[in-house]
Amino acid sequence: MSSNPLTNAAASSRTRTATISRTTRETTIRGTLNLDGRGNAAICTGIGFLDHMLTALAVHGRLDLEVSCTGDLQVDDHHTAEDVAIVLGQLIDAALGDRAGIARYGAAFAPLDESLARTVIDLCTRPICECDLRLVREKLGELSCENVPHVLRSLAISGRFTLHVDVLKGSNDHHKVEAAFKSLALALRQAVAIDPALVGTVASTKGVL
Ligand SMILES: [Mn+2]
């Protein structure tokens, strides 16, 4: 667990961008996000496979995303993977602002060769993550496979949304995780999109998200 995080967030509801710096004794992270981007990614977490997945998320989600992290990788990959996910969730939450006008829901499948993944997302403010990734390897590069669901859970909690990610089939763990992040990208892109029918209001029977 991280201790004493110093977090500074700035967001504009008009531009749907956010910049966050977060420092703990375990990691120092800086991130910027534009929800209405073109898929430009500059990711350097120190964990190559995590960079690969966040780049896929940005490219296929049409997010402009910059993340740099200096973490205690001499311990292991846990703090870096967790804290990068926390910051990414905070960026999404900050960039969404009051969440007025967003489609809110997204659901998408993505294949990668033999693997097929599905993500269903609800950008309500209830942080819940259910995922079943069917991973069998111990690591993908320098990312422990046990940290992949942990990244998704940390992302959903700090981003304050409900996230279901399931790998439906596949035999290659690299493909399974990459399909999962691509389906997340496609679902997130749908959910954050501004729905013209909702401008000035929110997609909720409660009247608030
Ligand atoms: Mn790949």
Side-chain angles (χ1 to χ4, degrees):
M1 289 296 291
S2 304
S3 58
N4 300 320
L6 299 173
T7 300
N8 296 298
S12 164
S13 60
R14 283 172 294 137
T15 61
R16 305 213 302 167
T17 62
T19 298
I20 289 177
S21 298
R22 182 181 190 275
T23 299
T24 72
R25 290 177 186 166
E26 296 166 348
T27 62
T28 297
I29 300 172
R30 187 176 188 283
T32 68
L33 171 67
N34 181 359
L35 290 176
D36 302 298
R38 303 185 66 178
N40 295 317
I43 315 291
C44 186
T45 67
I47 302 173
F49 193 81
L50 185 59
D51 292 355
H52 185 32
M53 293 303 97
L54 296 185
T55 300
L57 180 68
V59 168
H60 299 291
R62 307 293 189 266
L63 309 170
D64 289 345
L65 178 64
E66 297 179 18
V67 177
S68 61
C69 174
T70 303
D72 58 356
L73 294 174
Q74 76 283 2
V75 175
D76 68 4
D77 56 315
H78 184 91
H79 301 140
T80 293
E82 175 180 88
D83 292 357
V84 164
I86 288 170
V87 168
L88 180 57
Q90 290 175 331
L91 286 167
I92 292 169
D93 184 41
L96 282 172
D98 64 6
R99 309 196 182 198
I102 61 169
R104 176 178 165 180
Y105 295 97
F109 294 86
L112 202 172
D113 294 352
E114 88 297 339
S115 293
L116 178 65
R118 178 189 64 212
T119 294
V120 181
I121 191 169
D122 175 5
L123 293 175
C124 60
T125 50
R126 292 188 302 282
I128 295 166
C129 180
E130 293 285 335
C131 57
D132 182 4
L133 304 178
R134 300 185 178 197
L135 302 179
V136 296
R137 283 173 60 175
E138 183 176 353
K139 303 186 85 172
L140 290 160
E142 293 306 309
L143 181 65
S144 303
C145 283
E146 67 175 6
N147 284 332
V148 178
H150 188 62
V151 161
L152 294 172
R153 191 167 298 113
S154 299
L155 177 65
I157 290 170
S158 70
R160 300 192 305 138
F161 53 82
T162 296
L163 179 64
H164 292 257
V165 183
D166 292 275
V167 170
L168 304 176
K169 52 184 174 177
S171 58
N172 178 299
D173 277 6
H174 183 124
H175 288 173
K176 292 177 203 170
V177 176
E178 190 164 340
F181 273 83
K182 286 177 172 175
S183 70
L184 171 61
L186 299 173
L188 184 62
R189 187 179 169 203
Q190 292 172 19
V192 304
I194 296 295
D195 184 335
L198 291 169
V199 170
T201 186
V202 294
S204 167
T205 55
K206 295 188 183 74
V208 65
L209 278 176

